[in-house]
């Protein structure tokens, strides 16, 4: 009876550990933070709100920084970060392909999972990762103007 009790307690503890929901993080910053706190934290990292591209009620905020080669578009819902997208500004198709592959490999290591690859050509690639807290979609489009986007969506 004692062994059954110990096994039951171990099972309950294992279920409790697996039941914890991990929040999606953007470059070490939890996306579970309140929206304004998240924006303030990004401003502390050197990003500034682009008021010309941000809507007046702050449902979608565009931010940029001179230190990086991408802009952020952040959407909120009910005071929480709902989605975030990096839009990279790169000059050549080769640089976007290299960066896409590097980021894909980094997400594989970080999340410990293989991506779903609905598109996998030379000029158009999509890698979709799923984590406990949400989804990360890495999209490469090398047509007339190379584009690379990374989108974080919370569950």
């Amino acid at each position: 009876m004692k062994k059954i009790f110990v096994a039951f307690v171990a099972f309950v503890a294992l279920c409790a550990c697996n039941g914890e929901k991990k929040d999606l993080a953007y470059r070490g910053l939890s996306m579970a933070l309140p929206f304004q706190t998240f924006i303030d934290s990004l401003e502390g990292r050197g990003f500034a709100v682009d008021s010309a591209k941000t809507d007046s009620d702050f449902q979608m905020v565009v931010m940029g920084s001179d230190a990086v080669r991408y802009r952020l578009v952040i959407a909120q819902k009910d005071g929480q970060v709902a989605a975030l997208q990096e839009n990279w500004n790169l000059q050549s198709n080769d640089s976007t392909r290299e960066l896409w592959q590097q980021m894909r490999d980094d997400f594989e290591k970080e999340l410990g999972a293989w991506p779903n690859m609905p598109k996998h050509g030379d000029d158009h690639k999509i890698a979709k990762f799923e984590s406990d807290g949400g989804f990360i979609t890495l999209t490469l489009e090398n047509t007339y103007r190379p584009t690379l986007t990374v989108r974080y969506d919370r569950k």
Side-chain angles (χ1 to χ4, degrees):
M1 186 69 169
K2 189 175 185 181
K3 289 181 182 178
I4 294 173
F5 178 72
V6 171
F8 177 73
V9 170
F11 177 74
V12 169
L14 180 63
C15 290
C17 290
N18 288 338
E20 290 181 26
K21 182 181 176 188
K22 294 182 181 179
D23 292 316
L24 190 60
Y26 171 72
R27 299 187 183 259
L29 186 60
S30 173
M31 291 180 66
L33 292 171
F35 183 74
Q36 191 57 51
T37 305
F38 190 81
I39 296 297
D40 292 343
S41 297
L42 287 172
E43 286 177 334
R45 293 181 177 192
F47 284 89
V49 174
D50 184 346
S51 57
K53 295 184 180 179
T54 298
D55 59 11
S56 60
D57 58 354
F58 252 52
Q59 293 300 309
M60 185 187 73
V61 175
V62 177
M63 300 182 85
S65 172
D66 293 335
V68 295
R69 297 184 304 178
Y70 58 87
R71 297 183 67 72
L72 297 175
V73 179
I74 308 158
Q76 74 163 320
K77 182 177 181 181
D78 301 326
Q80 295 290 316
V81 177
L84 179 144
Q85 181 169 309
E86 291 178 347
N87 296 317
W88 285 79
N89 182 16
L90 299 166
Q91 302 302 320
S92 73
N93 288 345
D94 290 337
S95 62
T96 55
R97 284 186 191 110
E98 289 173 17
L99 184 58
W100 185 91
Q101 188 64 49
Q102 176 188 356
M103 293 175 91
R104 180 186 179 270
D105 294 344
D106 290 345
F107 283 131
E108 277 183 18
K109 288 177 188 171
E110 180 182 333
L111 300 172
W114 290 89
N116 177 15
M117 298 281 297
K119 293 256 185 197
H120 191 37
D122 286 338
D123 289 331
H124 190 191
K125 300 179 185 186
I126 299 174
K128 294 184 176 189
F129 294 90
E130 182 175 1
S131 72
D132 293 337
F135 303 93
I136 300 172
T137 305
L138 186 59
T139 305
L140 169 71
E141 293 179 348
N142 278 338
T143 51
Y144 299 108
R145 182 173 161 228
T147 59
L148 177 65
T149 59
V150 183
R151 183 176 172 98
Y152 296 77
D153 290 290
R154 288 185 60 205
K155 283 186 180 177

